[in-house]
Amino acid sequence: MATTATTTPSATSLTTLHRRIPLFPTTTTLLSLSSSSKPLFLSLSSTRSFPTHLYCIKKDDIDITFFEQDNPDEEITFDPPEKPEGYIPPRAVDEPPFESEEEIALAYEELYGAAYSGESLLGNDVYAMDSKIKKATGFGSKSKKEKIRDGFEENVVQVRRVTKVVKGGKHMRFRAIVVVGDKKGQVGVGVGKAKEVVSAVQKAAVDARRNIITVPMTKYLTFPHRNEADYGAARVMLRPAAPGTGVIAGGAVRTVLEMAGVENALGKQLGSNNALNNARATIVAVQTMRQFSDVARDRGIPMEELWK
């Protein structure tokens, strides 16, 4: 069998190396273990070799200013600032005089209001909450809009889903038709669109309140005369009726007449069946009606001469 011969450094060579390498060099130098310009490779075997580069940093290059300024063995004395003139030290919690329950309740009411206990020491309303507390707690926030109490009633005629085709696709919305009225001769029709049904109804109610009109009626709560009107493809016919007849109409026409306060009338949809157009056609027909007193005043004659 072939044997592999390994060479080991002798004691003389190791002694020579120890003499050449200084233990604490004074400058940053590359220590070479031979007289040649190339660094010497220390090899303990004939098969592998490792480069040896030894560097040293000067003591002056290390930042030790922090340790030179502060002495860890030095005793540091606390020097608090001087107290201002008229300074009164606060009393401890367990020292008298103690605050009464009335003073505590008074201070609490100034901060949080009177609703926490049901009793008011400052004359506030115990059933009313402060606006700051409403914002902080979220109670009574305007996320859900309250109904407007102005004497008008709302009636939803129709809610439909509509789609708008755009370049990027389709936008789906809800369209609501709302009729508002006080049943005393004032009525309005509004339309609103939104992503949610509730928002669409609210927008439609606001739009209807912006378009309030006055319906001419007689003492029998009916129309003064017959009339017809159209809006778009819808055409509506309205006729007065005797007391006790009621409202004989259908669809959006009936809703508009009921919200206006008409109790005896006849209505008929002659054209399109579109709810919005029929409601607006009813509004147009009512707007063009006139009272006999207004016509007599415009003509400058008494009302008795109108039927001659």
Side-chain angles (χ1 to χ4, degrees):
M1 294 179 62
T3 58
T4 303
T6 58
T7 59
T8 57
S10 60
T12 307
S13 59
L14 292 177
T15 305
T16 307
L17 291 175
H18 178 70
R19 290 176 180 177
R20 288 184 179 182
I21 301 175
L23 185 59
F24 299 101
T26 57
T27 59
T28 304
T29 56
L30 174 65
L31 301 181
S32 61
L33 302 181
S34 64
S35 58
S36 62
S37 60
K38 297 182 180 180
L40 180 65
F41 296 96
L42 297 178
S43 60
L44 301 179
S45 64
S46 61
T47 57
R48 299 183 65 183
S49 60
F50 301 92
T52 304
H53 300 276
L54 302 179
Y55 293 93
C56 183
I57 302 176
K58 291 183 180 181
K59 182 180 178 182
D60 299 338
D61 298 337
I62 301 175
D63 186 12
I64 58 173
T65 56
F66 176 78
F67 301 99
E68 293 179 354
Q69 293 178 357
D70 299 334
N71 185 9
D73 298 333
E74 182 182 0
E75 295 183 359
I76 301 175
T77 57
F78 177 68
D79 188 12
E82 298 181 358
K83 298 179 181 179
E85 297 181 0
Y87 172 75
I88 301 176
R91 61 181 180 85
V93 180
D94 54 348
E95 292 183 1
F98 301 105
E99 294 180 348
S100 62
E101 295 183 0
E102 184 177 354
E103 294 176 349
I104 296 175
L106 185 63
Y108 202 92
E109 183 178 349
E110 291 179 355
L111 294 176
Y112 304 104
Y116 82 100
S117 63
E119 298 179 0
S120 176
L121 300 177
L122 299 177
N124 298 325
D125 187 5
V126 296
Y127 299 103
M129 183 174 287
D130 191 6
S131 59
K132 296 181 180 179
I133 301 178
K134 286 183 181 180
K135 294 180 180 179
T137 58
F139 180 80
S141 59
K142 295 184 179 180
S143 58
K144 294 183 179 180
K145 296 184 178 179
E146 299 178 356
K147 290 186 177 181
I148 304 174
R149 299 179 181 178
D150 54 357
F152 288 94
E153 298 182 9
E154 301 177 4
N155 194 334
V156 181
V157 177
Q158 186 184 76
V159 176
R160 280 192 174 181
R161 187 180 65 182
V162 295
T163 304
K164 179 181 179 182
V165 181
V166 296
K167 182 178 180 181
K170 295 181 179 181
H171 289 176
M172 189 190 71
R173 298 289 187 273
F174 290 97
R175 187 194 68 176
I177 304 172
V178 177
V179 178
V180 300
D182 59 353
K183 295 185 177 181
K184 296 179 182 179
Q186 290 187 333
V187 68
V189 178
V191 183
K193 293 180 182 180
K195 294 182 179 180
E196 298 179 358
V197 177
V198 178
S199 301
V201 172
Q202 291 175 353
K203 288 182 179 180
V206 173
D207 183 56
R209 284 179 171 83
R210 294 174 181 171
N211 303 307
I212 295 293
I213 65 166
T214 302
V215 180
M217 290 187 294
T218 63
K219 62 180 180 180
Y220 301 109
L221 299 179
T222 186
F223 300 123
H225 58 87
R226 63 178 61 188
N227 196 9
E228 293 182 5
D230 53 1
Y231 188 93
R235 186 171 183 83
V236 173
M237 177 186 66
L238 300 179
R239 296 288 187 269
T245 305
V247 179
I248 302 177
V253 179
R254 183 183 185 90
T255 305
V256 173
L257 297 182
E258 287 180 349
M259 299 303 292
V262 180
E263 295 183 1
N264 304 293
L266 303 175
K268 182 65 178 177
Q269 299 177 5
L270 301 177
S272 173
N273 198 27
N274 185 275
L276 178 59
N277 287 346
N278 279 293
R280 288 179 172 173
T282 307
I283 295 295
V284 173
V286 169
Q287 278 183 311
T288 55
M289 289 183 181
R290 301 181 66 186
Q291 294 282 11
F292 291 107
S293 58
D294 298 337
V295 177
R297 184 174 58 253
D298 294 342
R299 293 184 181 181
I301 58 177
M303 291 183 58
E304 290 78 7
E305 296 184 6
L306 291 175
W307 291 274
K308 290 183 181 180

